[in-house]
Amino acid sequence: MANLRRLLASMLVILALLAVLTGFGQATITSLTVNGGEEVTQPIGLIVEDRVLIQYKVVGGNVKAMQFSISFPNGTVKDFGGSGDFSYSFICDAEGEYVLHFVNTDQTEEIRVTLDYEVQHYIFGIPQMLFMVILIAVVSVAGVAVFIGLSRKP
């Protein structure tokens, strides 16, 4: 009976860790509709040393009518102009909210944009998921060492 409780408790801890660790990865794919003459924004909260990959593809409408820019937390705006396929990566050097701006300069036609952005968090220069795996391995080895040290000696 005690083994069954221990097994159940272990399984609950593992499921809880899995749920928590999956939340650390942030990859988002979304579809946006930008009507003629309008602007759609997508905010992204970042911290220092985050690696960001932004990709989008214009699916419908006039490809050249869509203008894209990024607003940084320090107030600067980087304009990328218009294109149908776009890919840009950068390393975050200031913590805050980065805003992606999609502007449809065509007054009649709506544009569909498929946006894909991925944020990789880093801790001490190591990707966060790798850091968590190393941390779990160290804690597991320490737990086994304590268990062996406290076990009965023959």
Side-chain angles (χ1 to χ4, degrees):
M1 187 69 164
N3 286 337
L4 183 60
R5 285 185 183 168
R6 192 175 320 156
L7 178 65
L8 182 60
S10 298
M11 293 302 283
L12 287 174
V13 167
I14 289 171
L15 287 175
L17 281 174
L18 242 130
V20 168
L21 291 178
T22 7
F24 286 132
Q26 182 182 358
T28 303
I29 298 174
T30 186
S31 181
L32 308 169
T33 301
V34 185
N35 294 322
E38 292 185 3
E39 175 181 3
V40 174
T41 60
Q42 180 73 32
I44 303 174
L46 300 174
I47 59 175
V48 177
E49 288 192 13
D50 279 353
R51 269 65 169 182
V52 182
L53 172 65
I54 299 170
Q55 298 175 324
Y56 73 80
K57 182 171 181 65
V58 175
V59 178
N62 182 5
V63 173
K64 295 296 180 189
M66 216 279 299
Q67 301 293 316
F68 175 69
S69 62
I70 300 176
S71 296
F72 294 89
N74 60 7
T76 61
V77 176
K78 187 166 186 177
D79 188 13
F80 295 97
S83 83
D85 291 330
F86 178 79
S87 180
Y88 179 67
S89 63
F90 65 96
I91 299 173
C92 179
D93 57 354
E95 184 172 345
E97 187 172 90
Y98 291 70
V99 182
L100 311 179
H101 298 274
F102 299 92
V103 180
N104 184 354
T105 57
D106 189 358
Q107 298 298 318
T108 59
E109 202 172 341
E110 74 176 20
I111 295 174
R112 301 226 8 117
V113 177
T114 303
L115 172 65
D116 174 20
Y117 65 88
E118 180 179 344
V119 178
Q120 292 182 350
H121 301 290
Y122 278 64
I123 300 173
F124 303 121
I126 302 171
Q128 185 175 16
M129 293 307 282
L130 180 60
F131 181 80
M132 291 297 180
V133 168
I134 292 170
L135 182 67
I136 290 170
V138 167
V139 168
S140 298
V141 168
V144 169
V146 168
F147 179 75
I148 291 172
L150 294 176
S151 67
R152 290 185 180 161
K153 306 285 189 235

